[in-house]
Amino acid sequence: MSHTPLRVASIVGARPQFIKLGAISKSLASLAETDSELAVEHIIIHTGQHYDERMSGSFFHELALPSPDINLGIGSGSHGAQTGAMLKGLEDVLCHLCIDLVLLYGDTNSTLAGALAASKLNISVAHIESGLRSFRKSMPEEINRITTDHVSTLLFCPTRHAAENLIREGISGVICDGELVNERPRIGRAPATVDSPWIVNVGDVMYDSVLFHAAFAPNYIPELSATAPHLLEYAVLTVHRAENTDSASRLREIFIGANRLAEDIPVICPLHPRTVSSLEQHELRPLANRLILVEAVPYHRMLSLIKHSQLVLTDSGGIQREAFMLGKPCVILRSETEWVELLETGTNRLAGANSECILHEARELLSLDLGDAFASRLYGDGRAAERILRICWQWWSQD
Ligand code: UD1
């Protein structure tokens, strides 16, 4: 039996969401060529949360993403003002687009606004990167994740841990592992609804993306060549979480740790605009000349910086996983992580924002041979986006 096409709207707004959307968009294009049954019309709505060339435009270009069909141009603001403006803008456009399913990505304010706008219009929601928890509700992303998961009909978890978190929170629904059987996902027969969703461990779309895009990561590291051309080894550091950038003492500790580490190994630090302003505001300056601060870099350059490094230090969830996927040890600049399986491998360690801990963990990780620890398949098989699309179609065509 043939069905009318499924009209899906992807709502994105921030840097990591463009990467996840890239995996979905690429998989959609290849399924359109290979599976004549699967008919999906895809509309991209950009909230405008990130708007710079560095934070947005370069990602659309490198990931070969179609330009957004709609850009709300909301921009920066306090959480309430930003989320409220997105909510109103999204409601206005969703009312007119005849959308069957809204696809949401990760845990940003754009995700939250999309979840509220769609669910209040009774449009079904699918959440990619569902079930992640820091168990710390003072983190804005935790509120965004919990709210989005609890109004979603299709809960696409990147790991088994994430699926277990949802079950622990009392979300009852059909749970399965997203295994593809003859190219079809094995889902239970019960139809998914917002009150009885499907929880599926599909794998991580970021892994799909790394597998494809790592080949485009340039070998040349201009940051290093300009400053220290004779050095081949370096560490890469990123800091952007509000908990670190908005606290002068935490940011100072992180940069004290980085300055000291730079005495052992050069540290390249691409800076998120939020971090640039915080460093200026708190009058923090790098002391060591081997701590190399550069502007935020595009996706391929970031993969390249990770791929050729000896060590990664970060508070980003995406970069923690990218480090693992590219076989690099990682010091996590937080006191917890949503990606707990990384800690189990021993390749990633928590150091919070304590300069002594950062230095200690960095030196230890640099001294270890972790070869086999990167062999575990934590994030699926690189077909998470395909699973997601096939499951969306199965949900749509269920009788
Ligand atoms: C957001 C997400 C965070 C995600 C991160 C990825 C929320 C609550 N947080 O944080 O989960 O990890 O994106 O980067 O949604 N700015 C620019 N240019 C831009 C966008 C922002 O200069 O294109 C500056 C502005 O000064 C702005 C600040 O960065 O005030 C923060 O941007 P915002 O979108 O509020 O949150 P992020 O910190 O990027």
Side-chain angles (χ1 to χ4, degrees), residues 16 49-52 55 76 79 108-109 141 240 272-274:
Q49 177 171 353
H50 287 172
Y51 42 87
D52 283 353
M55 301 291 285
S76 305
H79 284 269
T108 73
N109 288 345
E141 290 83 358
H240 81 285
H272 184 287
R274 174 201 275 286

